[in-house]
Amino acid sequence: MDNHFSLTPAMGNKIFQPTAGALAVTVPVVAFDENNAKVLEVFGLHKELVSLPVVEGDRPIGLISRHIFMSQMSKPYHRELYERKSCIAFMDKDPLIVESDTPIETLGAMAVASGDKTLADGFLIVGQGRLAGLGSGLALMRELVALQVEKNRQVMQSIDYASVIQRAMLSTSRSAMSQALGDACLVWEPRDVVGGDFYHFEHHADGWFAAVADCTGHGVPGAFLTLISSSSLKQALELHGPRNPALVMNEVNRAMKRVLGQQSGAGKPAAGQGDVQSESDDGMDACFFWFDSATRTLTCANAKMSLFVLSADGEEVQTIDGKRTGLGYVDTPDDMQWENRSVQVEPGAIVFVSTDGIIDQIGGAKNIAFGKQRLRRALQEHRHLPMAELGREVMAGHRSYQGGQRRRDDVTFFGARLGGAINHQHGQHA
């Protein structure tokens, strides 16, 4: 086995951040002992000059704004009064002065803190106290925008690569499902590039185990939580095996609370201390279920997630609900006990479980949730189709119902027709 691991270019990239020196533009200057006639002369010769640095030797002590200076000198008698006076009369004595090695992001924060005058009139850039040039607010804004664009690009590259990792982690379960079940569907469609839903499937000699879970949030935070939750599930399955879903769920709850520091009592202050609250209150809704091939018994444990069993003739849809308590949350007791519910599944019956991304989606003419009833009707309407096509029809109906509304959450569902050959021409089971 090749154990060599290499970083992708996206993971190895670093963002180059320019400094204030990149914005320094050489401009005319005026000495502090010059008069305003000299300032008028300089502004007259350099029409593009927005501000004029005032220096003492090679060190800047102020900045004269063209707009302010020309406005004052254009007033009646001001030119006669001030032309021979020192240029410091109209000088900003407290301009923003920054070292040339100041990072652009730091400079941006300093510019905002110093007020609108910095963005309008510019700022002085120095190297070891000596004037290096004048920086403009517009040039600073352009650099900040360019830097943010590059950051966003690299963040999206990282998220795209995280999506590759997340899909790779789920691929083992998808492969196991394909080998174990002849007629099944599995949809995992995150709202964003990565998601907070996950699934797990294991094939055993006497049956199979499946789990569908919806972790708090979506996007990157949700994806982080799926790593914790799926790892806890795999450890629980190694410890207890797959045939008692409730026991596995109990163990996953304890493991998640330990990892997240959300054990019961974590919010109680120790003696002599103030309130100590957990920094998070995250968890997941889930359905874990085991199908015994010999007895055709489906055993499931539910945490705020329903499982539907559609009879072979499609006339009846049984909904199996469990406790209205999620796994891992601060308010979920450490010793929370979920319960198994078992049903006999006839050949040709359909088992279907979905995260709430479908059920809670707002849409339709009344802008209300899709709901369980519409999902049941969709299952009954398309029950004659192979499961892969049924899954596509469910998603098509969901997207149509969503319409112009924004997708609210990740969407994940699993469905399987448990035994019994299907006649696709007539929609009948052998």
Side-chain angles (χ1 to χ4, degrees), residues 51-70:
S51 298
L52 179 62
V54 179
V55 297
E56 184 175 357
D58 55 4
R59 296 180 182 274
I61 62 170
L63 195 62
I64 299 175
S65 164
R66 171 191 284 272
H67 174 71
I68 295 174
F69 181 82
M70 299 304 288

Side-chain angles (χ1 to χ4, degrees), residues 126-191:
V126 298
Q128 297 180 342
R130 294 179 174 84
L131 183 64
L134 181 68
S136 75
L138 180 59
L140 173 59
M141 291 300 102
R142 286 173 176 163
E143 284 293 340
L144 288 171
V145 169
L147 183 61
Q148 192 60 50
V149 168
E150 177 61 17
K151 279 188 172 183
N152 291 343
R153 185 187 69 81
Q154 293 207 19
V155 167
M156 287 309 303
Q157 281 187 337
S158 297
I159 293 175
D160 286 341
Y161 193 72
S163 175
V164 173
I165 295 172
Q166 193 172 36
R167 291 176 185 277
M169 291 176 60
L170 296 172
S171 64
T172 302
S173 290
R174 184 178 289 275
S175 177
M177 183 203 75
S178 299
Q179 294 177 8
L181 301 174
D183 193 16
C185 64
L186 183 57
V187 168
W188 180 78
E189 191 173 288
R191 194 197 75 170

Side-chain angles (χ1 to χ4, degrees), residues 261 263 265-271 273-279 330:
Q263 294 96 328
K268 298 178 181 179
Q273 297 182 359
D275 289 344
V276 179
Q277 298 293 334
S278 171
E279 293 184 3
V330 169

